[in-house]
Structures are given as structure tokens and as C-alpha cells.
Amino acid sequence: MIELRNLEKAFETRAGQTFVLRRIDLKIESGEFVTIMGPSGAGKTTLLSILGMLDHAWTGEFRFLEHDVHAMKPRERIDLNKKHIGFVFQQYHLLDDLTVAENLDIPLSYRNIKGSERAALVADTLDRFQIVGKKDLFPNQLSGGQQQLVGVARALIANPKLLLADEPTGNLHSDQGREIMRLFQKLNDEGTTIVQVTHSEENARYGHRIIRLRDGWILGEETVKDRIGTTTGAAR
Amino acid sequence: MKQDIQYAIRTLARTPGFTAVAVVTMALGIGATTGIFSVVHAVLWNPLPFNEPGRLAVIWETDAHNKSFEEGASTPDFVDFRRDARSFSGLAAVQGRWLNLTEERREPERISANAVSGTYFDVLGVRAALGRALGDADDRPGAAGVVVLSDALWRSRYAASRDALGREISLDGAPYRVVGVMPPGFDSTDNQAWIPLAPSLGAFKDLRGVHNLLVIGRLAQRVSFERAGAEMSAIAARLARQYPDDNAGRSTRVLPLAEAYSGGVRPSLLVLLGAVALVTLISCANVSGLLLARAAGRTREIAIRRALGAERGRIARQLLTESVLVALVGCLGGLALAAWGRDALVALSPQSLPRVSEAGLNLPVLLFSLLLSAACGILAGLAPAVSGTREIERSLRAGDHRAAARGSVRGVLVAAQIVLACVLTTGAGLLLRSLQNLRRVDPGFRAAGLVTARIQLPRSKYPEPPRENFYKWPEVLRFYDEVLPRLRALPGVSSASLAVNHPLREGWTSQVEVEGQVQRPGERDETRIRPISPDYFRTTGTPVLRGRPLDERDRQGAPGVVLVNEAFARRYFPGRDPVGRTLSFWDRKREIVGVVRDVRFRGPAHESEPAVYPSLFQVPISDVFLLVRSSATRAVVIPAMRTAVRAVEPDVALFQVRTADELLTESLGSSRFETTLLSLFGVAALLLSALGLYGLLAYSVARRTREIGIRLALGARRSDLAGMIVREGLARCLAGLAVGAVAALASTRLLSSLLYGVRPSDPLIFAGVFGTLLAVALAASLLPARRAASVDPWKALRTE
């Protein structure tokens, strides 16, 4: 699904070029659950932003679903993002002035979907994530875990092929975090490719593979041996 | 779109303070512009209430030698125009009158009326709403007197009763029958009645040299104004060859009738509209600044939306929806403001502003207001909409709700407000100085204590003598002899006189021949003829510089005498004494017995023109002003004058009663109007700019709290920090002033025609404006500077 070749990102400073990512070569197959790990400043979130087409200032090759992203204009990349990618943020990033249902509707409203169809999708998603009773609440009326749940639901409502999650449990306590990770695993079992960034070794054990970054370089990759969850084995 | 509107309403409702400030700011700009536009529309653009008003013309006569371009026609000229002109399907003549309306068992009333030729209503293409209008059959000498009333008079005097038709009334003692009522709004000059012209033309009706008729016409089918103008000029040229003594050098101008109403006031009205538009632009810039600050606080929300797939255009649309909503709510407030201020605006308007009473919130004005509001909303929302964040990833990762504001854009907006405020306040300053100069002008007479009132002696009791006996009008002379002593005997009165014109009334002109100075026909200058009674100059306080004033000797049967003014002496007797010389006008020779100081009878802004002052006892007129100099108050003098006049002539009412101070104020009417409004706009611009600058600096302080904390921790004094903020404010003001100076220099040229005694680039005014704006900037900086100096460094650093 994803192939990166010699991908690099750097800033120009007075001292010269400062690299955030260096010669990243990476392949992620469809249906994989991949974790990107590394210390602060390793470039994990930057890599995720590039995968999510939120960051356009990089060099190298990036192929996504047979598309040469490196050859596309930013607008074309955004269209690709809209069609196939969902993003879960560490700070949830729900819109405070919108209810749960309206927050779920927002990505649909940016995708030229008719109102009646959107309403049906929102209803289905509320049902799927068992948050129907909370549809008229505002984010400040939900717990952290509930907000992140809504964030995940929002990321998935348009049926993306790829789910990117940046420290999805970073602001949650451990029980809530486990709930979210179990949900991710379930989604992956259902066919969604997931790439997460995390500091947590425990969270990494929900996935199939770990990619370790340091100072912008990929140090190595490893398959998760003692995977947590209902399914075991390699990626489909 | 529906979603954007719903979200916009919800977002604005959650920040009531911000929304209120933004709405009020918009309402001020939109309301002021709507109010001024309603006046401009009523005066300049509202179609005249006649059939096909675009086909109606006014035909002015011109005098090349005297450089006069808007004179009336004489009765013989009008007759010739009607006979010879083919470019018009109809021509009509109009003459304004003041008439005493009396009826049995009813209070007499002074009304303004138009004496019109029989074709008048046909030319205008308007029928009577009740009864009939006047026709040719009514406009013949000896025809029975008939009158058509205005809707306003019909309602006020007869309670809109149909019984008014056929009623017999008396106008100036002559019997008239009411035959019709015109529809409401027919005459926008507040005229109250129409009577036939021919039966009421006096002794001047055969004189080609007396130009006292306004001529209007309806263009014939497929005839343009240019073609009609060419034909009328040819007719005028023929009359000039035929009657060289009276018509040499005279021609015609054919203009759309609407221009006759409003042409002279167009420049000043457009200046006001431009000025108020600047205030609206400042309001937009102010609201834009507020929205920008607000958008900065919503960087996270915008970044999320973009991460979720929103295109920049969609985000921009959402932000513009909010700003347009603010503007539309501001529009409602602005309309309320315009409606509330309408009466004050009309009351402030000078009398020279025609049709201003028609100003109001009609459909064109409402549409204008709506379009203006939409434009303001888009304009105010552009900067925040365009400056959406590009730094999605950083904004999201940092989770920093205090993302960097578009300080530079806000700074540009504040500078733009200062530029506009500079232009407005400079214009206001120039007009204020101009008005001050006008008030200091010596008008040539002493206004304090002088009261004037006009009377018209009724024709029924004072029938006009035949032309050959024009100077022998014993009834009028008897009235003068009886009323003057009564006026002089009033308590507190030191002097009283009569005159055809008070000192600030232009009056008639006529050609005057000076002995020994032969002028060819067409090269004769027009001179103001201002008949007066003895004691006139003592009453008005105008000094007689040489010779003697008129006195009791100068009556009927005595040799004809005049006084002349300095302007006349300079023109005809430069460097010589005119006393003892002779001149002629109206078929009589008269000796110059004195020279008087020039009086600015066209108003303080206009130099005096040559004038001659014959004795009213040698040139009796039945329509005169009473002038009384008294130490008593207006409230005492005027009723006493009424009593004195009624003791001689019970049927005569005083009208156009004014003190000379009021006359002087009215003569400045147009200047006062423009100056007052532009000053208000200038003050509004200053306040809005101050608010904009304050908002920018307050936001700057809030954003730099950490920096200020660090500076304090490193040893900065609080006064240093306060000075830093004040310098920032003054620097922004100076940046605006640099551009504002250039803009003001360019724009104040437009005011040249409205200024008196001051140049558009007057350095004192510019210096004053700059000083004022710097002071305003300093005041706006003080509170943010104080806040900066009050920052707790440890708190500031801990928060970070």
C-alpha cells in the first residue's frame, strides 16, 4: 500500500540544513498494523504527517496505492487523503463548538456527499461505536477516552483504507488506552491498515511490526513476537 | 451553506462581547452611509414625480457679458419661445409667489404658490388627484380666478375633505375658486398652490429686460437635449438681433429639469458621500482586525478542519459567512440608526438642498444598505479568510491554542485606518477653518439687534398702476408713510426702515446706463437694484462713506436720487468721486448722492457686486421687507412689528421673519452642513482608529506575555516595557500618517470649491491633524502599556 524510497525532510537554518528525516525506505502492505517508535525528536510524527499528506515539504519517492505521490501537486495529494486516509490525533482535536454527531459529519461535509447520505453514515457510525446516546453532547461533556473514541470514529466514518494514529492514547489513562488499542486491533482485523506512532511498548504489541526511528533515520524493523490481541500471526 | 450559516450563528452567539462590538462598529459605518445616501438619493437621483421626467427640460437664459448662466426669461421672450420652438411638445412658465390665503371665519395663512402658464400641468404630464388641473382657458387676462391646491395644504387646511373643491377663497384679496388638488408628493419644493400666470402678471409683463419667469419644457419625440439646445440658441440669437437693446449678448441653455433642482449641490453631496464611505471603510478595517484576532485564536480549529479534508476555499467561505452575518446584523442596526437620524439630518440640511424632505428608507435606499452590508461583510472577512494557516501539522502537534497571529496583517489594517482617519480629519479641519473664516468676514452691516420681516400688500387693495404711472403708486406710499413711524415708535427700537431686499438677499438686477459711459447693447453690465427707504443704512449699520444718505426729501416728485456701493464706484468711477454724477435705469435718470460700504448680499463667501440704492418713495414696490434695529429680544420685537403693521393694514401677515444673525447663519447653511457632518465623520474616524490601534496593542501585549516575563526576569524596568508598547503604537501611527499625508494632500483638492480663505494644503491644519492622531495613538497605547508593565514575570514564565 505504501512505499517510501529515499524520503527526506530538512529545514534550512543559519547553520545549514537540519534533517528531520533521512533516507527513509519503507514498505507497508495493505492490512498491516505498523507501529513507529523512537525517542522525542526522532521524526515519528513528521513521518506520519507525510504519510497523511499533511506535510508537502519533503523529497524522495512516495507511492501510495499505485499513485506516485511525489509527482502529485498538493491539491491532488489532499484529494487522495480525503478518499483513503483517516487521522487520529493525540489531543483528539474535536471541534469544541460542535456536538458529537456534528463532529462526525464534518469530514463527510468536505467530501461532496449528499446530506441524506451523510446523515445515514453518521447514524451508522454512532451505532457502530455505541455512542448513539452521546450524539448531542459537546466534547467538553465527554471523558478523555470518550473524546478519543469519537476521534477514532470520525477518522473512520469515510471508510478509509489507511488509518494513521499519532500517540492515540497519549492523553488517556491506561484503561482507556487499552480500550482504544483493542478497537484498533478490531479495525485492523476488519481490513483497515493502521500506522500508529507511540512511545508505549505495550501499545506497539497490538501491531504486527515495529519501525524504530532515531534522529531521522530508520534504525531497524522488527516483527512483534508476543502480540496482544485476538489474532496472531503475520499481516494478511 | 446552511451548515456554514448555522455554525456561524452558533459561533457568534458564544462570543457575545466580540459579536456586539463587531456589530456596533459595522452598524455605525453602515448607518451613517445609509443616512447620507438617502439624502443624496432624494436630492440627486430620485426621479422627479412627473411623467417621463427624463424628457423634461429647463430653459435658462444666459448673459455673456455678465457671465450669468441661469437667468429667467422675460414674458415677451417666453411668448416668442412658445411660438417658434419645435423641439418641445410643450413649454410652460412658472413664477413663485407668496400669497395671503383668507376665508370667512378662518385664520388667514401665508402660502407659497406658483403662478403657472396654462400648459404647465400638461408639460409635466400629471393629472390632478381630485378635480382638475389648470389649463389654457384659465390662463387668460380677465379669466375667473381658479386655484389648484397641493395635497399637503388640502390635508392641513381642509382635512382632506372633498368639500374643498369649489370652495371660494381669497388670495391677496382677489377671489379664487378651488378647482383641484394635486397628488401627494407632486411638488417637492413644498409649493402649496398653483394659480394662472397671465391674469397675475404685473406691469413688467411687456418688458424684455425683466427676466422673472422660469421656463420648462417637454422634449418632443426623438429630440435630444443637444438638438433642443441648438434650436433655442438659434431663437435667442434671432431675438438678440431683433431686440438689441434688451437681448444683445443673451442666449439660452437647455438642461434636464432634474439638474435645475440639484445641480448646484451635487459636488458637496458627493464629497459627503465619499467621506462617509471612508468612515465605513474604517469600520470594515476595524471589524477585520477583530476577526483576524479571533481567527488567530481559532487556528487549531481551522487546522483540524483542513486535516479532515476542508479545502482552503471552504474554510474561507465559512469565515466569510461569519463576517457577512455580522455585517447583515449591523445593517439592521444601521437602518435603525439611519431612521433615527433622518430627521436630524433633514433639519441640519441647508435650505438650498432641494427635495431633502423626501429622504427616507425607501426601496432603493434599503437595497443600497443591503448591498453595502454584504460588501462590508466580504471586505471585513477577506483578510481573516485569506490568511488561513498553512502550518497544519505544526499547529496540530503543538496543540498550542495561542498560535501565531497574523500581526503584520492586523498592523496593515490599523495603518489603513489611520490613513483614512487622516484624510477625513484633514478635510474636517479645512472645512472648520473655512467656516471660521466665513464667520469672521465683515458682511458690511451690523447683524446684532437687527430683525427683518417680509410683507406683501394685497393686490385687491393695492392694485398695480399702469406702467406709465408705475412710479406713482399712492396707496403703497401711504402705507409706507403710516407704517414707518409706528415701527420707529416701538419700545426699544432705535431705527426702522423698509427695503425690497434685506442685506443678505440678492434681489434683482437690471442694466444701468452711466452718464458719459456709453455701452453697446450686449456689453452692458447688470447691476443690483435695491430700493430702500430713508434710514435704511442707519438701521442696518452700513456706513455711508461719501455724500449723504437718503432722507425725507427724496420722495415722489423730487429729483431721482440713488446711493451706490463701493463696487459700483470701482467699476464705473475708478479713482474718481461718483457723487453728483448721473445714471439711468427703468427709464429714469437719477443722481448719485452718496457711496456706501459694500455689503455681501450673496453671503459672506461672495464679494459684493455693483449695486444702486434708489429711494423706495421714488420706486414704490408692494412686496418689501421691514427692518428694525432694537435692543429688545426677538420674542418682544416681532409681535410688536406685527401689531404695528396690522394697525395700518389688518389683512397683511408678516412672513420670512428672521433676525440678521439667523440670516447670517442661513447664509452659511451649506458650509455648516458639510462642516458639521465631516467633523462628525472625522471624530468617528478618530475613535474607530483609536479602538483599532488599542485592540492591536492589547493583543500584542497578550501574545508577548512570555517575552515580557523574560525581559523582566533579565532586569528590564517596567517603564522600559511600557515605553516599548507606546513606541510600537506611535510607530504604527507614524507609518499610517506617512501615507495619510500623501492621501490627504491628494484628496483635499476635491474640497477646493468648498473652502474659503484656506488652501487645501494648509500646513497648520495638517500639523494639527498629525498632532491629534499622534495624541490619539498615545492615548490608545496607554492601557496596553500599563498592562505590559504589570506582567508578573514568574507567572508569565510558569504559564509557558
Side-chain angles (χ1 to χ4, degrees), chain B residues 76-86 91 208 235 238-239 242-243:
Chain B
D77 282 354
F78 170 63
V79 169
D80 289 339
F81 290 161
R82 275 185 76 174
R83 185 191 63 217
D84 297 340
R86 297 287 173 266
L91 286 172
R208 278 198 190 262
I235 295 172
R238 204 161 56 237
L239 292 175
Q242 223 173 323
Y243 307 102

Side-chain angles (χ1 to χ4, degrees), chain A residues 9-232:
Chain A
K9 181 177 171 75
F11 295 107
E12 288 295 333
T13 64
R14 280 193 201 154
Q17 266 193 330
T18 301
F19 282 90
V20 181
L21 292 171
R22 301 251 10 211
R23 295 188 204 163
I24 301 293
D25 291 323
L26 176 61
K27 269 191 190 169
I28 297 173
E29 301 295 340
S30 188
E32 273 202 274
F33 187 158
V34 174
T35 304
I36 301 174
M37 298 189 74
S40 283
K44 310 183 293 296
T45 301
T46 305
L47 179 58
L48 208 69
S49 300
I50 292 171
L51 289 177
M53 322 267 178
L54 299 177
D55 188 336
H56 304 292
W58 45 267
T59 57
E61 288 180 23
F62 176 5
R63 283 180 64 79
F64 176 68
L65 290 176
E66 313 307 320
H67 295 280
D68 289 334
V69 178
H70 51 271
M72 292 167 92
K73 293 183 184 139
R75 201 194 167 90
E76 292 167 336
R77 293 176 188 176
I78 289 169
D79 284 341
L80 204 56
N81 164 303
K82 268 197 226 179
K83 276 194 195 133
H84 302 297
I85 301 175
F87 213 113
V88 178
F89 304 97
Q90 179 180 0
Q91 289 92 8
Y92 332 131
H93 285 319
L94 300 181
L95 294 174
D96 298 327
D97 291 337
L98 300 181
T99 62
V100 165
E102 287 166 344
N103 266 285
L104 294 182
D105 180 63
I106 278 285
L108 299 177
S109 71
Y110 297 142
R111 281 157 171 82
N112 293 326
I113 301 173
K114 272 192 231 172
S116 51
E117 212 178 309
R118 278 165 35 202
L121 284 168
V122 167
D124 284 345
T125 305
L126 286 168
D127 197 37
R128 182 179 171 196
F129 285 83
Q130 294 171 356
I131 49 175
V132 177
K134 296 181 173 40
K135 69 180 177 68
D136 292 324
L137 298 180
F138 289 92
N140 61 8
Q141 293 172 298
L142 304 175
S143 69
Q146 289 166 338
Q147 288 187 58
Q148 192 57 294
L149 190 63
V150 173
V152 172
R154 183 183 65 184
L156 291 168
I157 193 166
N159 262 330
K161 292 190 169 63
L162 172 66
L163 183 69
L164 303 174
D166 186 6
E167 299 277 9
T169 63
N171 282 17
L172 304 176
H173 67 66
S174 38
D175 284 344
Q176 289 172 329
R178 280 186 209 109
E179 287 289 331
I180 294 296
M181 292 315 300
R182 277 197 281 272
L183 174 61
F184 277 3
Q185 210 172 47
K186 182 160 172 284
L187 291 170
N188 178 244
D189 288 344
E190 288 168 0
T192 305
T193 307
I194 299 180
V195 179
Q196 68 166 344
V197 161
T198 187
H199 284 296
S200 164
E201 292 287 347
E202 183 184 337
N203 283 358
R205 286 168 55 207
Y206 284 87
H208 297 116
R209 182 157 62 107
I210 298 171
I211 297 167
R212 295 197 187 269
L213 283 184
R214 191 188 184 93
D215 293 334
W217 297 89
I218 291 183
L219 279 188
E221 296 181 22
E222 63 199 68
T223 307
V224 174
K225 293 187 183 63
D226 48 350
R227 192 171 180 238
I228 301 171
T230 57
T231 60
T232 56

Side-chain angles (χ1 to χ4, degrees), chain B residues 742-760:
Chain B
V742 174
L745 269 172
S747 60
T748 49
R749 285 175 205 282
L750 299 172
L751 296 178
S752 297
S753 63
L754 305 177
L755 298 177
Y756 180 83
V758 59
R759 283 177 301 148

